[in-house]
Amino acid sequence: MVGEPSGVFMSFMYYAALSMEALGVAVICVGVVATTGLFLYRSWVHRSTDHFYHTYRRGMGKAILLGLELLVAGDIILTATHNFNLQHVALLGLLVLIRTFLSFSLEIELNGHLPWRRPREDQENGNFV
């Protein structure tokens, strides 16, 4: 029929969605391993964990956020091309809602402020307030 996606297109979109999801999982796993390895190395060399802990948490949070973005992108592709019914759209909406909440929470935890409230620079000594 005219306007209906062909089998080749559907297969390509299916594998594209799976690739996005696999990439998202890989980003999270590699990010966790890399930031943990870097943290342990720096802590061992400098014999202190206090100085590097904030950097470790920040790197871990960034890896999780990027991985979540890729996972949601894969879910959007799969839902839009294969499972376009009310149940799957509702599930996608729930996943996006959870991802948004996690992203929002991680942003506050990592930066110490709401995403739309950037710290102001103190005019006297150049420090952020």
Side-chain angles (χ1 to χ4, degrees):
M1 284 191 190
V2 176
E4 214 175 279
S6 68
V8 173
F9 175 77
M10 295 295 278
S11 294
F12 179 75
M13 287 295 111
Y14 176 75
Y15 288 116
L18 286 182
S19 298
M20 283 284 213
E21 290 179 351
L23 184 60
V25 170
V27 163
I28 292 172
C29 292
V30 168
V32 166
V33 170
T35 56
T36 301
L38 188 60
F39 172 71
L40 292 174
Y41 172 76
R42 287 177 175 169
S43 299
W44 182 72
V45 167
H46 297 282
R47 302 284 189 238
S48 171
T49 58
D50 297 338
H51 182 67
F52 303 109
Y53 182 69
H54 181 71
T55 306
Y56 173 60
R57 283 187 44 181
R58 190 171 192 80
M60 186 80 70
K62 286 180 179 182
I64 292 170
L65 285 174
L66 182 58
L68 285 172
E69 294 288 342
L70 292 167
L71 286 169
V72 169
D75 286 336
I76 289 170
I77 292 169
L78 198 59
T79 299
T81 58
H82 285 78
N83 302 322
F84 201 72
N85 61 38
L86 187 57
Q87 182 181 4
H88 286 98
V89 171
L91 181 61
L92 178 63
L94 182 62
L95 286 173
V96 169
L97 185 66
I98 291 169
R99 191 218 51 90
T100 302
F101 174 74
L102 286 173
S103 176
F104 186 74
S105 299
L106 283 170
E107 182 78 23
I108 291 173
E109 189 171 328
L110 291 174
N111 296 324
H113 55 80
L114 297 170
W116 55 86
R117 297 201 62 181
R118 299 291 176 211
R120 295 175 293 143
E121 189 172 339
D122 189 6
Q123 297 297 327
E124 294 176 11
N125 57 12
N127 292 331
F128 287 103
V129 180

